[in-house]
Amino acid sequence: MPEQIEKQTKQTEMERMLETWEPVIGLEVHVQLATRSKAFSPSACEFGAPANSLTDPVVLGMPGTLPVFNRAALELALKLGVATGSQIRARSRFARKHYFYPDQPKGYQISQYDEPLCEKGHVDLIVGGAIKRIKLERIHLEEDAGKNTHVGAVSHVDLNRAGVPLVEVVSAPEITSAEEAAEFMRALHRLVRWLEISEADMEKGQLRCDANVSIRLRGEDRLGTRTELKNINSFRFVQNAVENEILRQIRIVESGGRVTRETRLWDADLGQSAPMRSKEEANDYRYFPDPDLPPLVVDGALMGGILKKLPELPAARFERYQKQHGLAVDDARTLVSDRGLADYFDALVTAHPGDRSGRMLANWMLTELLGALNAEGKEITQSPVPAATLSALIVLVENGTISGKIGKEIFAETYQTGEAPLAIVDRRGVRQISDEAALWEVIDRVVAANPKQADGYLAGKDQLFGFFVGQVMKETQGRANPSMTSDLLRKRLGR
Amino acid sequence: MKPEFWSITETVKHVITGEITAQQIVDGALDRITFLDREVGAFLEVDKDGARKQAAEIDRKRAAGEPLGSLVGVPVALKDNLVTKDLVTTAGSKILEGWVPPYDATVVTKLRAAGAIIVGKTNLDEFGMGSSTERSAYKQTKNPWDPSRVPGGSSGGSAAAVSAGMCVASLGTDTGGSIRQPAAFCGIVGLKPTYGRVSRWGAVAFASSLDQIGPLTRTVADAAAVLQVIAGHDPRDATSLEAPVPSYVDALTGKVEGLRIGIPHEFFAAADESAGPEEEGLGFTPNPGPEEEGLGFTPNPGIEPEVRAAIERTIAALTERGAITVDISLPHTALALPAYYIVAPAEASSNLSRYDGVRYGKRVDASELLELYRRTRGAGFGPEVKRRIMLGTYALRSGYYDAYYKKAQQIRTLIKRDFDRAFRFCDVVLTPTTPGVAFQFGAKTSPLDMYLGDVFTLSCNLAGLPGINVPCGVTTGGLPIGVQLLGKPLDEPTLLRTAGVIESAVGLGTRRPSGAGGI
């Protein structure tokens, strides 16, 4: 398997190199905001509509048109700003960023430059069982560009995406590995979905990433020459592209070369990057405040509204689930991977009597409920079993009304029919038998009917104990209380 | 009846009473355009069918007893940088040759709703960049008072059309004087409203922070009537103001008793005597004399004696009617021109980036993208536009923003403060609109000579104030002279009131242009 060998060689080479060299990575992530209409005009924002159907004179950059900012985008951006602990500018400004390209109808993109909406925030990564905080330099608002496609010698422009509101999230250069870069993306993806500000579907380009990568000798303070990687639009690509670039740079420097400051395009199929033509990047953007748009003012009332609506964030819940509910790291991480899961778990905890059942609740939810949902390809939000119903079922197991094994059957039926667990239990007559006299009667009968096995057990064949448990369960259609059955059987068999 | 020189009030009254049909008015206007415009060249496009259709609709409404608007039956021309649905809009540029917009500018929508009849689109300096309409990519427009002279610009076509009686009113745009200066050269009223008073939606942008649409009319009352219709907040223009629109028509009381008229000495001082103010921290001399190195040119070209005399007569007429003159100082006046020639080209270079041949207008094909841009823009833009794109691109280069655009914006703030201070002592500021009267074609050969002619009108745009030109006499050679009034933000009523008094005291009365086309 040459591929695997190659991979291993690469791995070892990387490990050796990383003893000497420290990668420094900063990410620029574009997130489309889930507004109904575009950032500066009334056209709808949708994915997959016929080319150029979501345009209007503003989107087309027609003479005489003017942008008017969609305040809905501001609220979404502010949610992210607050959730990342950013400083929010009371007055920020839109600026024009100029470059000629057919996907840019006005010849400039409306963005923010020296007065961005948010600065100095952070994103919390869950690395192993711990939280690592990555600082953000800024989050600013801007409009998306259209899309160019090339068919042979002919180029087509689709402006459906042009003008869709974006936030650009710029991390500080303090990500130190390709894994961490991918984890940053995951954390941001989780966060924007958590806040319901974006679907963040990477396949639809709703979340896109550029990475700035450089290396320096460990212990060095100064940053090395960086390259910018573009077009890394999946979590896996981020990791692969960044890792590839780190290796490339170390190899250049170790062989006496120098890293050139350039923009490189990641080709996921080839698994390598190539420099973009310098013509395409030799831009002086000539930023200046957009005179068509007044300063963006964020007042106390607006901030108050945002703060009131802000949900508890994933990192906070991750810690709460472990500390307050005693969950294992993996379970806690799974629950906070999706707002719907975490909200369901919280609803389950709220519905459930007592507060010492965290692990049991997580178990039932993650194993039984998620198992059933996954089998049908459903999301937690589509669950036919409300949290209160699942809790009621777990109560029946906890108080001994039914056994755990029966509980799973009852769950399956509740899931299918929606009938209340207790009703199913009663209809099926599967209440656990915890009555001593009743159990004695069954045990007496079972032991009397199997004298040889009883003798064998007495003679030291321990495995026969399981046989008797099985017989009791068979006689009671599984309803016998398992721990009582064991206790009584031991007494009856005399050992 | 001779409706061509009727005022708006007269036109509307006659249409409402039925003495004349809208159809007859439009036919008269179209005939006159056909007859005169071969000589004057005010129009780039005459919309005969559209105008007749609008007129027929008005006559139908009147017959049916439906409500009629305040401009009913009034033939109006639009500067061709105002976007009109289904009617070619070029902004005077080859790059937009044949472009048929899919939408109407807000002012056009409002005019139509008020019953005005759009007769056509008028000539202008390409994208509004010029002061003589000589920079139009299409044709020359002659001054109706003297066909050897320019009508001014950039709204030269709009001014000439109104002056020659080819329409009752027109709209222009004013970025540095482009309504007021041609109004002065053509002997009509031209009003640049407060920045944000009139929606810019549908005005082809030249310099977004300076551009404003306004009326050109033969009388002050007509300017008020048109402004009444086009003013107001527009949700499609984020820079438009929400302040309620007062009655401009009612503002014309004919009285100026007690009105304080500010006379800024900087505008009247001859070049060599214009003294620099004691300055606070600009870091450079704001008003250098001609021999100093700072600006490299004389910021105040001096006022022609006949213009100066007419302005003095105007001031005298106002004081005779009870107004009070106040000497004021606008110390940063000399910086207006250099600041303007940073801000306006910078914004223009940005606004004109959209003309790339990809989506509309002219395209010169090429096999390479960059070549497509080069060829399209190379062939589509005229020399003055290219000059300003280069100036603006230079000013916005990375690392130069602070030294140019930002500094120019700081100067704007200083100029604004000058006016704020002055308006504590006066109600309007009075200056000549232009240093001289309409000049001969080709007289201003260097761009700088041309720019200097706008020295009195630029401050108004930089400060976002309203300004108006009112005719205040003619030279011995028979050319109109204009006086400019500048007002507090949103104080168009006081401007109009003062202008109305000037009009009746020293205006042109029944004098009409008699130059072009044998008017």
Side-chain angles (χ1 to χ4, degrees):
Chain A
M1 287 202 201
E3 229 176 78
Q4 207 166 359
I5 292 167
E6 193 191 341
K7 205 173 165 191
Q8 269 175 5
T9 318
K10 216 168 157 187
Q11 209 57 49
T12 342
E13 190 191 3
M14 188 78 166
E15 278 164 22
R16 178 188 59 75
M17 286 170 163
L18 290 182
E19 282 167 19
T20 317
W21 299 98
E22 180 188 37
V24 180
I25 303 153
L27 296 183
E28 292 171 14
V29 185
H30 289 91
V31 186
Q32 280 188 357
L33 296 174
T35 53
R36 271 199 296 272
S37 60
K38 292 193 177 181
F40 298 105
S41 79
S43 285
C45 299
E46 279 169 36
F47 181 80
N52 294 311
S53 62
L54 307 176
T55 60
D56 55 47
V58 176
V59 171
L60 295 171
M62 283 196 170
T65 57
L66 296 168
V68 176
F69 182 53
N70 180 354
R71 302 281 297 183
L74 176 61
E75 289 205 15
L76 299 185
L78 283 175
K79 278 170 100 173
L80 184 59
V82 171
T84 52
S86 299
Q87 295 174 12
I88 312 286
R89 215 179 260 267
R91 271 168 75 95
S92 66
R93 275 218 79 122
F94 286 109
R96 295 181 180 181
K97 178 183 182 180
H98 299 85
Y99 61 94
F100 285 107
Y101 207 59
D103 65 7
Q104 193 58 263
K106 298 183 294 299
Y108 59 83
Q109 175 192 30
I110 302 176
S111 179
Q112 294 192 300
Y113 183 53
D114 54 354
E115 299 169 75
L117 184 66
C118 312
E119 286 166 291
K120 298 183 178 150
H122 55 78
V123 169
D124 289 332
L125 277 48
I126 300 174
V127 182
I131 285 175
K132 175 167 179 182
R133 179 158 283 192
I134 301 289
K135 287 205 280 291
L136 298 181
E137 282 181 353
R138 59 191 282 156
I139 301 173
H140 70 248
L141 279 158
E142 61 184 31
E143 57 176 346
D144 211 340
K147 258 182 178 171
N148 285 8
T149 48
H150 308 284
V151 184
V154 185
S155 296
H156 298 278
V157 187
D158 178 4
L159 295 177
N160 281 354
R161 202 180 70 180
V164 169
L166 295 176
V167 280
E168 180 174 330
V169 181
V170 182
S171 88
E174 53 179 37
I175 295 168
T176 53
S177 73
E179 297 78 25
E180 213 170 272
E183 196 49 47
F184 179 88
M185 283 295 284
R186 281 191 202 98
L188 194 58
H189 179 259
R190 182 173 61 219
L191 184 60
V192 298
R193 288 179 55 86
W194 194 274
L195 297 169
E196 294 169 329
I197 66 172
S198 176
E199 294 280 319
D201 186 332
M202 294 183 88
E203 282 179 17
K204 293 180 182 170
Q206 290 165 339
L207 184 75
R208 308 195 295 270
C209 175
D210 300 336
N212 291 305
V213 180
S214 66
I215 52 157
R216 64 181 167 195
L217 283 170
R218 291 208 174 268
E220 179 91 42
D221 283 337
R222 229 157 35 95
L223 290 171
T225 304
R226 68 186 161 95
T227 57
E228 186 179 358
L229 286 171
K230 284 195 178 288
N231 198 30
I232 40 183
N233 298 325
S234 82
F235 300 127
R236 194 162 52 84
F237 292 176
V238 172
Q239 181 153 349
N240 293 349
V242 170
E243 192 170 273
N244 179 285
E245 181 59 18
I246 293 167
L247 264 177
R248 195 187 68 86
Q249 290 189 10
I250 295 175
R251 280 176 186 152
I252 290 174
V253 176
E254 286 195 343
S255 60
R258 294 176 68 144
V259 175
T260 317
R261 181 160 176 174
E262 63 190 357
T263 303
R264 301 177 65 86
L265 210 58
W266 174 248
D267 186 325
D269 295 331
L270 293 177
Q272 61 187 41
S273 65
M276 282 175 83
R277 280 182 300 162
S278 58
K279 232 186 340 188
E280 289 173 40
E281 57 162 332
N283 279 316
D284 177 345
Y285 293 127
R286 294 182 287 124
Y287 283 102
F288 83 109
D290 193 323
D292 287 331
L293 291 160
L296 199 51
V297 177
V298 178
D299 59 18
L302 181 57
M303 284 300 286
I306 301 289
L307 286 168
K308 222 197 274 174
K309 280 184 272 176
L310 201 74
E312 189 189 10
L313 298 175
R317 285 202 206 179
F318 175 69
E319 292 197 318
R320 176 163 66 82
Y321 289 166
Q322 294 175 80
K323 284 191 187 134
Q324 198 176 319
H325 302 295
L327 299 199
V329 171
D330 283 347
D331 285 354
R333 189 174 24 224
T334 306
L335 286 175
V336 301
S337 68
D338 178 89
R339 168 93 179 270
L341 289 179
D343 283 352
Y344 190 96
F345 180 72
D346 282 352
L348 196 55
V349 167
T350 308
H352 204 72
D355 55 2
R356 308 180 60 87
S357 311
R359 274 173 182 267
M360 177 124 174
L361 296 175
N363 239 333
W364 275 88
M365 179 184 155
L366 295 174
T367 316
E368 299 309 316
L369 179 59
L370 277 196
L373 288 169
N374 285 343
E376 291 190 293
K378 281 188 176 164
E379 298 286 321
I380 185 74
T381 47
Q382 299 166 289
S383 169
V385 183
T389 307
L390 182 56
S391 163
L393 173 64
I394 297 167
V395 166
L396 293 179
V397 176
E398 279 182 320
N399 68 17
T401 306
I402 53 172
S403 67
K405 186 161 169 285
I406 295 287
K408 290 179 184 185
E409 288 172 34
I410 301 297
F411 173 81
E413 191 164 344
T414 295
Y415 186 92
Q416 290 304 326
T417 64
E419 197 180 350
L422 191 57
I424 302 172
V425 168
D426 286 340
R427 183 168 48 69
R428 284 210 201 169
V430 289
R431 271 176 192 268
Q432 188 161 264
I433 301 168
S434 302
D435 176 44
E436 244 186 79
L439 286 176
W440 272 127
E441 191 199 315
V442 177
I443 286 169
D444 282 342
R445 210 173 338 120
V446 165
V447 173
N450 298 287
K452 265 194 223 163
Q453 283 82 353
D455 290 346
Y457 179 73
L458 265 178
K461 290 190 179 171
D462 281 358
Q463 67 272 30
L464 281 169
F465 189 72
F467 165 79
F468 282 106
V469 173
Q471 289 301 308
V472 173
M473 287 299 171
K474 194 176 163 194
E475 285 287 310
T476 59
Q477 291 92 42
R479 293 162 55 214
N481 182 319
S483 66
M484 285 180 75
T485 301
S486 297
D487 290 348
L488 296 181
L489 259 177
R490 271 197 191 88
K491 280 185 191 163
R492 178 62 182 78
L493 293 170
R495 185 163 87 79
Chain B
M1 286 196 280
K2 285 184 68 78
E4 59 264 24
F5 285 103
W6 279 352
S7 67
I8 287 178
T9 322
E10 287 168 311
T11 311
V12 169
K13 188 181 79 194
H14 289 129
V15 171
I16 288 176
T17 57
E19 287 166 67
I20 192 167
T21 63
Q23 204 63 254
Q24 285 169 308
I25 290 179
V26 162
D27 286 342
L30 293 175
D31 284 352
R32 199 166 162 82
I33 291 169
T34 309
F35 174 62
L36 282 179
D37 206 42
R38 269 174 308 192
E39 176 73 11
V40 177
F43 284 86
L44 288 176
E45 186 81 21
V46 179
D47 186 19
K48 290 189 177 174
D49 293 347
R52 291 203 172 103
K53 232 181 263 172
Q54 293 172 71
E57 173 63 11
I58 285 166
D59 290 334
R60 185 200 62 75
K61 274 189 178 171
R62 191 191 161 274
E66 289 173 29
L68 302 170
S70 63
L71 299 179
V72 67
V74 176
V76 173
L78 302 170
K79 188 179 185 179
D80 200 29
N81 61 352
L82 298 174
V83 168
T84 41
K85 190 172 190 231
D86 301 333
L87 185 61
V88 172
T89 301
T90 66
S93 179
K94 287 284 176 193
I95 208 154
L96 276 176
E97 193 164 22
W99 179 56
V100 181
Y103 75 103
D104 267 336
T106 296
V107 288
V108 177
T109 308
K110 288 185 163 190
L111 284 177
R112 288 192 206 278
I117 296 170
I118 314 293
V119 292
K121 308 295 290 288
T122 57
N123 200 17
L124 67 157
D125 291 292
E126 188 175 354
F127 287 106
M129 298 177 188
S131 311
S132 65
T133 314
E134 290 169 287
R135 309 288 187 214
S136 166
Y138 295 97
K139 68 200 303 190
Q140 206 175 55
T141 299
K142 297 192 174 76
N143 191 317
W145 294 77
D146 178 350
S148 71
R149 290 175 190 269
V150 302
S154 65
S155 308
S158 283
V162 169
S163 164
M166 294 190 275
C167 55
V168 174
S170 65
L171 293 187
T173 58
D174 190 317
T175 306
S178 280
I179 288 174
R180 291 160 287 156
Q181 184 256 22
F185 281 13
C186 292
I188 59 170
V189 176
L191 171 64
K192 183 210 95 84
T194 307
Y195 185 78
R197 179 74 292 184
V198 176
S199 167
R200 292 185 295 118
W201 171 261
V204 177
F206 162 12
S208 312
S209 72
L210 303 166
D211 296 343
Q212 190 63 193
I213 301 170
L216 295 100
T217 53
R218 287 186 293 266
T219 69
V220 174
D222 284 1
V226 175
L227 182 63
Q228 199 75 58
V229 169
I230 62 173
H233 179 251
D234 181 2
R236 279 184 293 201
D237 176 359
T239 64
S240 87
L241 301 171
E242 298 200 20
V245 178
S247 170
Y248 299 119
V249 182
D250 292 350
L252 302 173
T253 60
K255 294 201 165 60
V256 289
E257 279 107 13
L259 184 81
R260 298 169 303 166
I261 296 171
I263 311 295
H265 70 79
E266 288 84 359
F267 282 61
F268 290 89
D272 52 344
E273 50 182 87
S274 60
E278 297 103 78
E279 230 351 273
E280 330 103 21
L282 259 182
F284 60 98
T285 311
N287 196 355
E291 60 284 299
E292 286 178 56
E293 277 187 300
L295 293 174
F297 62 91
T298 312
N300 186 337
I303 303 166
E304 286 176 14
E306 282 197 281
V307 173
R308 185 181 284 266
I311 300 300
E312 280 164 5
R313 279 197 303 275
T314 306
I315 295 170
L318 287 168
T319 50
E320 276 166 28
R321 286 162 179 78
I324 305 150
T325 59
V326 182
D327 286 329
I328 57 161
S329 175
L330 298 168
H332 298 97
T333 297
L335 291 175
L337 189 86
Y340 177 87
Y341 277 98
I342 295 294
V343 174
E347 294 182 8
S349 73
S350 172
N351 285 328
L352 270 55
S353 303
R354 67 190 60 204
Y355 304 105
D356 58 7
V358 174
R359 297 166 312 285
Y360 47 76
K362 190 184 200 69
R363 174 193 296 185
V364 184
D365 269 310
S367 54
E368 286 269 303
L369 183 62
L370 203 61
E371 202 52 34
L372 171 88
Y373 292 150
R374 276 204 188 112
R375 286 191 197 168
T376 300
R377 292 169 66 84
F381 290 138
E384 182 62 26
V385 171
K386 286 178 186 165
R387 178 168 18 251
R388 301 213 194 182
I389 289 175
M390 285 190 282
L391 276 173
T393 302
Y394 183 89
L396 290 178
R397 274 182 318 157
S398 166
Y400 289 73
Y401 174 81
D402 285 357
Y404 292 107
Y405 191 81
K406 194 171 171 192
K407 182 137 284 177
Q409 292 289 27
Q410 289 166 341
I411 292 173
R412 285 181 80 167
T413 306
L414 295 175
I415 290 172
K416 221 174 282 177
R417 276 192 211 145
D418 282 357
F419 278 103
D420 288 347
R421 197 179 315 123
F423 282 126
R424 293 211 294 268
F425 306 103
C426 65
D427 305 303
V428 293
V429 171
L430 185 149
T431 80
T433 305
T434 53
V437 292
F439 47 86
Q440 302 272 341
F441 282 101
K444 307 227 165 167
T445 44
S446 90
L448 195 55
D449 271 353
M450 192 71 89
Y451 300 169
L452 283 170
D454 297 332
V455 68
F456 298 149
T457 47
L458 301 173
S459 311
C460 167
N461 300 77
L462 291 168
L465 304 174
I468 192 168
N469 172 75
V470 203
C472 64
V474 289
T475 63
T476 47
L479 293 170
I481 299 165
V483 61
Q484 171 179 248
L485 302 170
L486 304 175
K488 297 172 198 170
L490 294 175
D491 197 12
E492 283 84 358
T494 303
L495 281 194
L496 289 162
R497 173 161 65 98
T498 315
V501 172
I502 293 172
E503 178 179 59
S504 55
V506 295
L508 304 189
T510 53
R511 261 172 301 186
R512 303 282 175 224
S514 55
I519 302 165

